[in-house]
Amino acid sequence: MMNAGRAIVEVLKAERVRAVFGIPGGHTLPIYDALYDTPEIRHILVRHEQVAANMAAAYAQLTGEPGVCCATAGPGATNLVSGIAEAFVGALPIVILAGRGPAMTSHKGASQEIAQELMFRPITKWSIRVDRADILIDILRQAFTVARSGKPGPVLVDMPRDLLVQEISFDNYRPVGKPPGSRGDPQGLRAAVAALSRAERPLLIAGGGVIAAGAYAELRQLAERLGAPVATTLAGRGSLPDDHHLAAGGLGHHRTSLTKRLLPEADVVLGLGCRFEDQETNWTPTYLPDPAACYIQVDIDPAEIGRSIVPQIGIVGDIKLVLRDMLDLLQAAAPGAAPTSAQPRLQQLARDKEQLESEARRMASPDQRPIHPLRVLREAREVFPRETSVAIDVGVLAQGMGGAYPYFKIFEPRSCIVPSSFYGMGFAASGLPVAKLVYPDRPALGFVGDGSFQMISNVLPVAAECGLPVTWCILDDHALGSIWDGQRNAFKGRFIATTFTVQPDFAQIAHACQCHGEKVENPAQIRPALERARAANARGVPAVIDFIVAKERLAGSVEFFAKR
């Protein structure tokens, strides 16, 4: 027998949870008391619960395993909402342990009492209030099952504090582990392979579902087998290395002249775990596959099939297994490498990519002040090694440039913390320290706008206290850049509430939080500052570099937002 708080921690151990993100409160103290004797589970003490949710989501994004966050009743739980919504939209598995008032005072207007399970229901796969200690362990096992299964996502387990001190039995707990994947419908698979075999201009689009399924090798094999370029969504970056000869770049907001040509000319488009959401399509025909093209959609979630674009062929299944079956069918029908007919197209792809590289080098080369943001991105890519974990926050600079190929290249799967289409400001930047928990031997680097960083700068003492040495690069244009653009384009430059006339000294804030901090205005100091940040990280010290940058925009961003 043990108290329920201790049993919860035993479940976490059995499920191989490595970290819990949260802030203790009076309603969750029995859980924390059990963590005191559990050194194999590290607790990360955040300064605001939103960061706990963001860190749990970042953990899930980097590992594929459920992140766990813990919050006390009322305001503690409500502070989680934005980060949990981000995880829900982004299909990231999280288990939320939320305390609440004693069961004996329920519905009596007790302190911090709110129907938390109802509030979280629209942004979780499952939200449950547990009022009996004897079923708590079964509920927790089910929570891990639901979070991991099918399309992953967050789960809330809401527990009264008097339940947590009750004695319960805990024996023979069997951990959930990763559920087995499901194969696609054989008829759909055969139809898809037939269409791909006939295609003259196939295009693959790798979304976050490729990352979630761990289908990187299969994606690469299929692309090489077909001689097909691969475009990626923001969530799919890293599924194919950006220096692979078939890597073609992004869509929508991240579209380049290359993908602007490849998507409409494709006669067969294979969408793998991608949703063609707002930032990828602009809901505009010129950002979509040609209506005459055969669109094949593969997704683990039946509800996603045809949600944005109705496919000619829809396949529900685990993308890794679906791609394996496609490769087997292709090999059985026609053994061998890519068709020779693909060669002229691949030669054109190589020329177009070299032109993009040349344009990127040209844009990043001037010694202008304020600094061109691309200069920061390009030099950061040269200073930080290939395996670096990267956080790309929202915004026209951090995401619009840092999230776009070829301006900042990504080479490894599960190396990126990126927002979903919920696009919470500060989400990725506040999750960045988790990269050092997951990959302690890899450097970790984040790009964030000054508006977003002001929302989550309380993460600095967390990183310093927990010994998580990462580097934040603030792309500081003294504005809420995306909204400033909207006022310029749609409201004839009637700017209001989008520029900062009082701007914090981010370097001094970093120093106050026992982090390395610098402000860089001279482009000649970009590389030395980045190297000093890496040296600080090597000593175990987090770093903040405040780069004063110009309001420059990529052509793709300008074109995208002009159509909104």
Side-chain angles (χ1 to χ4, degrees):
M1 299 290 286
M2 63 182 68
N3 72 40
R6 167 70 60 184
I8 290 169
V9 173
E10 291 300 318
V11 170
L12 300 184
K13 285 171 57 178
E15 295 291 350
R16 298 189 177 182
V17 171
R18 292 162 55 187
V20 173
F21 308 95
I23 301 178
H27 301 83
T28 57
L29 284 178
I31 298 173
Y32 278 84
D33 186 64
L35 285 171
Y36 181 89
D37 298 317
T38 313
E40 57 266 50
I41 298 178
R42 187 170 182 185
H43 183 268
I44 303 299
L45 176 61
V46 299
R47 304 307 192 257
H48 190 284
E49 287 88 354
Q50 181 180 354
V51 173
N54 292 349
M55 285 187 164
Y59 181 91
Q61 200 164 53
L62 293 173
T63 65
E65 293 296 317
V68 176
C69 56
C70 187
T72 194
T78 60
N79 282 343
L80 296 171
V81 167
S82 292
I84 298 304
E86 189 81 52
F88 180 70
V89 174
L92 300 172
I94 292 178
V95 173
I96 311 153
L97 305 174
R100 62 180 172 84
M104 62 181 292
T105 61
S106 291
H107 312 297
K108 296 182 179 180
S111 173
Q112 298 183 321
E113 183 176 28
I114 185 174
Q116 294 170 179
E117 78 284 5
L118 299 182
M119 182 180 65
F120 279 87
R121 196 158 290 167
I123 55 170
T124 55
K125 289 183 70 178
W126 189 39
S127 179
I128 186 166
R129 168 176 165 164
V130 184
D131 285 314
R132 286 172 42 197
D134 62 316
I135 63 171
L136 176 60
I137 301 308
D138 290 337
I139 293 294
L140 283 171
R141 189 178 192 281
Q142 188 69 5
F144 277 95
T145 301
V146 172
R148 284 183 165 121
S149 299
K151 181 180 180 179
V155 171
L156 173 83
V157 181
D158 186 43
M159 303 163 288
R161 68 179 183 184
D162 50 353
L163 176 149
L164 295 176
V165 297
Q166 293 179 30
E167 294 289 309
I168 61 174
S169 62
F170 183 86
D171 344 85
N172 302 320
Y173 180 84
R174 184 174 298 172
V176 173
K178 186 173 177 60
S182 58
R183 304 197 101 88
D185 170 60
Q187 183 176 349
L189 284 166
R190 287 192 295 270
V193 168
L196 290 166
S197 298
R198 293 191 302 267
E200 296 180 359
R201 298 174 304 281
L203 176 67
L204 310 187
I205 301 176
V210 174
I211 301 290
Y216 336 118
E218 291 79 6
L219 171 69
R220 182 172 186 157
Q221 291 167 24
L222 182 64
E224 292 173 351
R225 177 68 177 75
L226 298 171
V230 179
T232 56
T233 68
L234 183 62
R237 295 206 65 189
S239 53
L240 186 73
D242 277 345
D243 56 356
H244 190 280
H245 71 280
L246 292 172
L251 305 173
H253 186 189
H254 300 130
R255 185 172 77 170
T256 64
S257 57
L258 174 56
T259 45
K260 186 177 181 179
R261 174 179 66 79
L262 287 174
L263 183 59
E265 79 174 17
D267 56 353
V268 177
V269 177
L270 175 60
L272 299 166
C274 63
R275 299 188 294 124
F276 276 105
E277 50 94 354
D278 182 30
Q279 288 283 308
E280 292 153 9
T281 66
N282 215 358
W283 309 125
T284 304
T286 55
Y287 285 83
L288 304 175
D290 188 303
C294 175
Y295 177 48
I296 305 166
Q297 184 180 6
V298 182
D299 204 282
I300 191 68
D301 182 7
E304 289 293 347
I305 302 295
R307 187 178 181 189
S308 295
I309 303 173
V310 178
Q312 280 83 348
I313 302 169
I315 300 173
V316 177
D318 180 279
I319 291 171
K320 188 179 185 74
L321 298 179
V322 168
L323 290 183
R324 282 181 180 174
D325 290 342
M326 284 185 173
L327 286 162
D328 288 344
L329 289 169
L330 282 166
Q331 181 66 17
T340 56
S341 59
Q343 291 308 311
R345 187 170 180 240
L346 298 184
Q347 290 165 4
Q348 183 62 51
L349 175 66
R351 288 192 294 270
D352 290 347
K353 289 172 66 171
E354 179 50 42
Q355 182 178 349
L356 282 178
E357 291 283 1
S358 178
E359 291 173 358
R361 287 191 295 268
R362 176 184 56 78
M363 285 188 287
S365 62
D367 290 329
Q368 69 181 58
R369 297 192 193 188
I371 299 166
H372 197 299
L374 281 186
R375 181 76 174 267
V376 177
L377 295 169
R378 300 284 286 190
E379 297 208 23
R381 183 67 282 176
E382 293 173 6
V383 169
F384 281 76
R386 181 185 184 90
E387 69 275 13
T388 297
S389 303
V390 180
I392 298 169
D393 215 273
V394 305
V396 74
L397 297 181
Q399 180 190 331
M401 293 186 181
Y405 170 95
Y407 307 103
F408 189 87
K409 291 183 179 178
I410 303 295
F411 302 110
E412 302 291 337
R414 291 211 182 276
S415 65
C416 289
I417 303 168
V418 296
S420 69
S421 58
F422 193 67
Y423 293 114
M425 291 175 67
F427 164 74
S430 61
L432 178 61
V434 176
K436 293 297 288 187
L437 279 176
V438 175
Y439 304 120
D441 297 328
R442 298 186 189 179
L445 173 69
F447 298 109
V448 58
D450 48 314
S452 292
F453 194 75
Q454 289 183 71
M455 292 187 174
I456 54 85
S457 57
N458 59 44
V459 75
L460 296 183
V462 180
E465 180 177 84
C466 296
L468 302 172
V470 302
T471 293
W472 288 272
C473 294
I474 304 173
L475 302 176
D476 183 353
D477 64 353
H478 283 60
L480 299 169
S482 300
I483 313 306
W484 186 92
D485 284 358
Q487 291 178 340
R488 178 185 59 183
N489 297 333
F491 295 92
K492 301 178 180 178
R494 291 165 59 86
F495 299 113
I496 178 172
T498 50
T499 56
F500 301 119
T501 56
V502 175
Q503 186 78 312
D505 186 327
F506 296 117
Q508 289 301 316
I509 290 174
H511 295 156
C513 297
Q514 299 181 30
C515 299
H516 174 82
E518 293 189 47
K519 181 177 182 178
V520 176
E521 300 177 89
N522 182 346
Q525 288 301 310
I526 296 173
R527 184 180 295 268
L530 289 166
E531 289 172 345
R532 287 190 290 269
R534 279 209 67 193
N537 291 170
R539 300 192 304 271
V541 178
V544 175
I545 311 178
D546 180 16
F547 292 103
I548 307 303
V549 299
K551 290 182 175 63
E552 299 283 356
R553 304 292 185 257
L554 293 177
S557 290
V558 173
E559 183 180 36
F560 182 86
F561 288 107
K563 295 180 181 292
R564 294 174 73 81

